[in-house]
Amino acid sequence: MPELPEVETVRAGLAQHLIGRNILTVTCHRQSLRYPLPDFTPLIDQQIVAVNRRSKYLLFVLDNDQTLVWHLGMTGQFHLLPGLSDSGLHEHVCIALSDGQSLRYRDARRFGYAGLIDSAALLVHPWFATLGPEPLSDDFSSDSLAAVCRGRKAPIKTVIMDAANVVGLGNIYAAESLFRAGIHPARAAGNISKKRLALLTDTIKQVLQEAIKAGGSTISDFVKVDGKPGYFSHSFQVYGRAGEPCLHCGKVIKRITQAGRSSFYCPSCQR
DNA sequence: AAGGTTACCTGCCCGC
DNA sequence: TGCGGGCAGGTAACCT
């Protein structure tokens, strides 16, 4: 699922169905995912008043001044099903709602995690305290990006994938943003002109916005009823295209490993 | 102490 | 057909 556009699309789809609903029961099929799951009993009889997002975290705001925080990890999915049918493969949590539907959490790799946090204390919680700006807000700007790049020898790709600097970018959108900005993923962050960082700031915002727009058509279906896979189908310019021709110049797209992840780039267009 | 590597988990795809 | 290896959209705990 989950880079920012996917999480945002899931958020929007869930908000539509969950706001105003009450939670009747919560059933867990295992005690922990990446971390131990919280005690869900405080959720019982609470109303969901908002479904928000910060970084890649979904925030279910309850009317008891607590927030159910959920991270999808790599493979986490939420599905809304009519009624309380049997749990499917890798389904770990089932939340029964007052409208007769049930919200199911499924996660094959179990890298996802959840917590129940006092809403007032959300921003000081360790998951949130160190997060950088939202990329689509004015807090993320050429100035803020330049500030975190200054003096850094780390590759620009790892800098923009570090949530302390800007949240929401994963392996795909980092690669696509750098391609559009013409910046080589391995270039030292501190060695990029202010002007080029300003361009990168713009391409990050563009790419994420376009992805949210495109994601709406596919992933919202997935949230709807019976959970069709609904994978985000976007035409990537470099991600996953190693060995294929660059759509801009025709040179062969390369793949390198950075921080244990694949990076894709055009050796001619990106410097 | 910044920067790099590894681990957490299951599934899938590819080559032998 | 079966099996092993490598890889997968995230995060954080380790090393150096």
Side-chain angles (χ1 to χ4, degrees):
Chain A
M1 274 300 73
E3 292 185 43
L4 186 148
E6 289 72 36
V7 179
E8 176 57 27
T9 303
V10 170
R11 184 208 63 76
L14 290 176
Q16 227 177 342
H17 294 271
L18 298 186
I19 290 174
R21 300 287 85 76
N22 278 56
I23 293 170
L24 301 184
T25 61
V26 181
T27 311
C28 289
H29 301 115
R30 62 168 57 239
Q31 295 193 327
S32 80
L33 300 171
R34 176 173 188 159
Y35 307 120
L37 285 165
D39 175 12
F40 287 112
T41 52
L43 271 64
I44 307 300
D45 292 332
Q46 297 306 312
Q47 186 179 92
I48 300 167
V49 299
V51 183
N52 298 330
R53 179 191 58 75
R54 169 72 171 118
S55 186
K56 296 166 188 167
Y57 293 89
L58 290 165
L59 308 174
F60 302 87
V61 181
L62 308 172
D63 65 355
N64 68 347
D65 295 324
Q66 289 187 305
T67 298
L68 175 62
V69 176
W70 215 298
H71 195 293
L72 301 174
M74 289 274 223
T75 51
Q77 301 178 333
F78 277 110
H79 301 276
L80 276 166
L81 301 183
L84 290 171
S85 50
D86 291 344
S87 65
L89 187 64
H90 299 308
E91 187 185 299
H92 309 303
V93 182
C94 173
I95 300 175
L97 301 165
S98 52
D99 64 352
Q101 298 196 96
S102 59
L103 178 66
R104 315 295 185 96
Y105 181 70
R106 178 189 302 180
D107 188 348
R109 289 173 75 180
R110 305 203 300 273
F111 287 172
Y113 47 102
L116 193 56
I117 301 173
D118 287 340
S119 299
L122 201 64
L123 297 184
V124 297
H125 187 278
W127 291 344
F128 298 94
T130 60
L131 291 180
E134 284 289 324
L136 297 179
S137 77
D138 291 340
D139 292 341
F140 177 62
S141 63
S142 55
D143 285 342
S144 79
L145 183 58
V148 296
C149 287
R150 194 165 298 131
R152 296 286 303 275
K153 291 180 179 170
I156 184 63
K157 175 163 179 265
T158 58
V159 169
I160 61 173
M161 285 180 68
D162 183 343
N165 300 323
V166 55
V167 304
L169 286 166
N171 210 30
I172 291 175
Y173 297 112
E176 295 298 313
S177 301
L178 286 168
F179 173 76
R180 290 200 195 183
I183 299 172
H184 193 294
R187 174 168 290 275
N191 189 21
I192 303 173
S193 71
K194 181 77 193 289
K195 192 176 171 186
R196 300 181 76 206
L197 289 178
L199 176 60
L200 178 57
T201 306
D202 289 343
T203 60
I204 286 171
K205 290 174 186 279
Q206 277 171 25
V207 164
L208 294 177
Q209 250 151 5
E210 287 175 25
I212 289 171
K213 236 185 229 175
S217 57
T218 47
I219 295 183
S220 65
D221 289 350
F222 144 124
V223 171
K224 270 178 194 161
V225 256
D226 55 346
K228 287 278 175 224
Y231 272 6
F232 183 73
S233 57
H234 191 74
S235 81
F236 300 127
Q237 306 204 58
V238 286
Y239 183 82
R241 298 194 62 243
E244 297 174 36
C246 172
L247 300 173
H248 181 69
C249 76
K251 289 261 176 9
V252 177
I253 300 296
K254 298 213 158 174
R255 185 183 86 89
I256 56 173
T257 298
Q258 294 180 282
R261 316 292 300 275
S262 291
S263 290
F264 302 91
Y265 67 98
C266 170
S268 170
C269 295
Q270 294 176 255
R271 303 288 179 159

